[in-house]
Every structure is written in C-alpha cells, then in structure tokens.
Amino acid sequence: MLERALTTASAALALTLCVLTPSALADAGTPLVIGHRGAAGLAPENTLEAVDRAARAGIGWVEVDVQRSKDGVLVVLHDQDLARTTDARTVFPRRAPWKVGDFTVAELTGLRAGAEPRWKGSGYENARVPTLGQLLDRLDRTGQGLLLEVKWPQNHPGVTRDILAVLGRKGWLDRRHVDSRLHIISFQAAALREVRALRPAIKLGICQEGASAGKLASYAKFVDSVNPQQGAVTRDFVRRAHALKGPHGKPLKVWPYTVNTATQARRLRALGVDGFTSDVPDAMRRTLGR
Ligand code: G3P
Ligand code: CA
C-alpha cells in the first residue's frame, strides 16, 4: 500500500515537473500524434495511468471516451458494457449485461480497469475507472490537451450538457482551454450539434467508420475536424477536407484513428493528414522522427 502511494506520488511529481505545451509539440508538416484512450497499448485504456504514460512519452494530446453512470456522474469508459475492460463479471456476477449506465459511480470507480489478461503482472492491474473530473485534474497537471469523445450518447440522453457542466466546473471552458487544449468528437452528429448550439467556441470533430468524402461539405458547417478510420483515408479525401473551412475559419483537420504501425503512420504522413490517434503514441512519434 505504502509502496503504491509512493509510486503514485513520485509519478505525480515527475509529471508536474514535465509540463507539456500541446501546441509546442506539433511541428508543421508532421502529424500530431494523439494518445488513443490515453495510450491503450501502454497501460489500461481510459485510465489516469494511460494518460500518465502518454505524458511521460511527451505526447501532448490524449483521446478518451466519456459516458455517464446511473447516478449521473461522467466516467471515462469506452465499451457500452463493463465486461471486457473491468472485473465487473466477478464483482457483480448477477448484474449482466453490465451496462455502464446501470452502475453508480461508486460501483464503477471501485472496479479494476486493468482486468484484461494482458495487464496481468504489469503493475497496472489495480488501475481504476476515472471520473471525467479526475481526468481533467490530471490533464491540468500534465499540461496535455484533450480530445473528448462523447461515447454512445444515445445511451445517455442529455450527456452533452453534463459534459459541458463538468468542463465548466473544472475551468476547462475558459479561453486558454477552449482555444488550445480542448476538442470534442463523436460518431453522433446530433451530440456535436448540441455542443455547438450551447458553446460555439469549442472545436468539434466527427468520427466516421470509413472515410466518406461526400459528407465533408455538410460536416464543415459545424465541425473543425474529421476523424475517419485510418485504412479508408485516401489522398483525395485529405485534399477535399483541407479545401473546406470549418466554423472557426480554418481548413478541416484530418485526424484518423487508430494508427498503430509504422507503415500506417508513414502512409498517412505522405497523404498529408494533420494528426492521428494511436494506442502506441511513443512508437509512432519515433517513427515520424520526433
Ligand atoms: O479517435 C476516434 C476513435 O477513438 C474512435 O474509435 O472506437 O476507439 O472510440 P473508438
Ligand atoms: Ca474513442
């Protein structure tokens, strides 16, 4: 217990000393490497540990997924249910199908988020599910920017207002954060339109399961980036996206997901993408020579 507390304290100190400035980490012409679900290949996805691993590798931006607990607290989790990433099956054997919104925040944050077999023996087995508030506090310490995905908003009616409320309470809707450290994304255009109606200054991005160039003109009316599946991105897609301006007057950025090999990273750099998310952002930065 004492050992864990000391490790956590020294990690926090190291991160505080290593203040990162997201904009300083993006060289012109080289794609911005964004940690996917924190840095899901380095530590359990969507945990503070994953964010810290990304920070220690010099990664200035992380992407995470946000959902809502049964009692209305925002938590950082990807799947609609808890079975894959946590020990919910063992802790709550009679609560199948373990839907995120069926559990209180006390129950969710008590689960182990490092329950996947691959984390056995890694030291990350006891990583916890963080709340959005905890995550924002951690990012303020590391100085990283946040690509916040509104995940499964159809399961959590009104979740965009809740997200904005937490961002506001934590000081993330001030000019400094909104201008250079916050970007909200979703597969659901309706969720993004809600954010835009309430807080037009926030930059938004639409995720696509493929890379459909035909929709870019309509997207450019309300989003600043498109986040397509990496394998579907073509030179024509990037060219057409860059030819359009988003609501903040800048060309649409192209930030594909999820890029985990050197071949993929080099291909996308050659196509001219602006950035991408990766489970192994440290390796992708090395590949790109940064
Ligand atoms: O960067 C967008 C990406 O995170 C979307 O895919 O399924 O990993 O949330 P997913
Ligand atoms: Ca995501």
Side-chain angles (χ1 to χ4, degrees), residues 27-151:
D27 301 332
T30 306
L32 177 71
V33 179
I34 302 163
H36 181 240
R37 305 184 195 171
L42 306 178
E45 65 182 53
N46 285 322
T47 63
L48 299 183
E49 285 80 352
V51 165
D52 290 350
R53 279 299 302 268
R56 286 204 294 277
I59 301 301
W61 281 78
V62 288
E63 183 266 358
V64 302
D65 304 288
V66 174
Q67 301 191 59
R68 191 175 57 207
S69 70
K70 183 179 180 180
D71 49 347
V73 179
L74 298 174
V75 290
V76 183
L77 279 163
H78 178 274
D79 293 3
Q80 300 191 64
D81 67 74
L82 302 163
R84 178 179 62 89
T85 57
T86 77
D87 54 352
R89 283 172 188 272
T90 313
V91 179
F92 301 110
R94 286 195 273 278
R95 302 270 297 271
W98 302 286
K99 294 280 177 204
V100 171
D102 291 342
F103 290 80
T104 65
V105 67
E107 290 170 335
L108 293 171
T109 54
L111 292 171
R112 291 197 299 111
E116 283 183 272
R118 66 178 163 148
W119 301 119
K120 199 168 178 202
S122 68
Y124 290 128
E125 295 89 339
N126 292 320
R128 301 286 150 175
V129 175
T131 64
L132 176 60
Q134 289 171 329
L135 178 98
L136 295 173
D137 287 345
R138 182 60 61 104
L139 295 181
D140 269 334
R141 213 152 71 197
T142 64
Q144 288 160 297
L146 174 62
L147 194 57
L148 186 163
E149 182 174 349
V150 186
K151 201 73 194 171

